[in-house]
Amino acid sequence: MAFKMLASFVSVLAALQVANGALTRRVSCPDGVNTASNAACCALFPVLEDIQKNLFDGGECGEEVHESLRLTFHDAIGISPKIAATGTFGGGGADGSIAIFADIETNFHANNGVDEIIGEQAPFIAAHNLTTADFIQFAGAIGVSNCPGAPRLDVFVGRKDATQPAPDGTVPEPFDSVDSILARFADAGGFSSAEVVALLASHTIAAADHVDPTIPGTPFDSTPELFDTQFFIETQLKGTAFPGTSGNQGELESPLAGELRLQSDGLLARDSRTACEWQSFVDNQAKLQSAFKAAFKKMTILGNDINDLVDCSEVVPTPPAPASPAHFPAGLGIDDVEQACTETPFPTLPTDPGPVTSVAPVPAS
């Protein structure tokens, strides 16, 4: 009896080992170098090598990264079930329409300036066997992987390219009200106010060229080369008064010379629906990474069924570790914070030594 039980146990163990091997077996890619859990992911390795070297300047967290990340959003958010319900095409979300129909969508006011990165990405799309929809989202995720402190973002392939352009008015603008912004995100994909705040973590590595064309390359925080929490700190510092809900193209002057604060960011940082969530990211790198990763994943599959896509996240490089602690810029401190969250005090942070300095613009490549 004992022998039969042992034999049965050995048989079950062998079956489990075979099943586990089947689940973890990887395929060899045609390049003879890489392997993948799914053959569809093999096509991404040559794209990764090409864009890291030739689009992102060897792996820098620079302007092309900022613009590629911006493009992921401007393409994906172009979807509206509410508009579609009226009988008008509502856009297909993350479907590449912003590049496929660039002659139409780049003329939308909210898409001002995206024609530059669309033009830069076009040769890479033509050179590789990826849909435009997949390339845009892949390039954004790979670009972010170059930024110290960033999360390792999820990547999926299998999106179908757009056959029609997205409608105008689906991309939020810097001078929109909080009501309008939250409603647009909710309509596009059921995003909560917390998810909206998480997505705006992208502004930690962003700079503006066209909000105020007289000061191109103006960053939204003092460390645009780092994916850190400085954006959430510095948007809560006292600045000059808002020029009105439609004034100066959505710009609010930051207390830091050389830094630009979008009106929408300033308002969201102070609105009762979002202020505490905004403050919760201050000096919380782990939450910054996890919340942005989850919100980015949700955004990049808008208009798609995730069950129809292949998860190729394993191709994304691991980003460099965070490179600086949260801090107040030199010359500024807790007295300069415009406290908006009534539930918890603002975190205690050190102040950088030295005199107040200016924030340098992000250099164009």
Side-chain angles (χ1 to χ4, degrees), residues 43 78 192 229 241 274 290 329 364:
S192 67
T229 67
T274 49
S290 63

Side-chain angles (χ1 to χ4, degrees), residues 6 44 135 163 190 202 220 230 237 282 328 340:
L6 178 61
L44 296 179
F135 181 90
T163 58
S202 62
F220 298 149
Q230 285 305 120
L237 298 175
V282 173
F328 287 118

Side-chain angles (χ1 to χ4, degrees), residues 189-250:
F191 288 94
S192 67
S193 59
E195 289 173 321
V196 173
V197 174
L199 276 175
L200 287 171
S202 62
H203 286 182
T204 186
I205 54 169
D209 287 327
H210 299 280
V211 174
D212 187 339
T214 66
I215 48 172
T218 307
F220 298 149
D221 76 10
S222 58
T223 55
E225 74 286 358
L226 304 176
F227 200 100
D228 59 15
T229 67
Q230 285 305 120
F231 167 71
F232 291 98
I233 297 167
E234 293 167 23
T235 47
Q236 293 189 251
L237 298 175
K238 297 171 185 176
T240 56
F242 286 107
T245 56
S246 61
N248 203 21
Q249 299 187 34

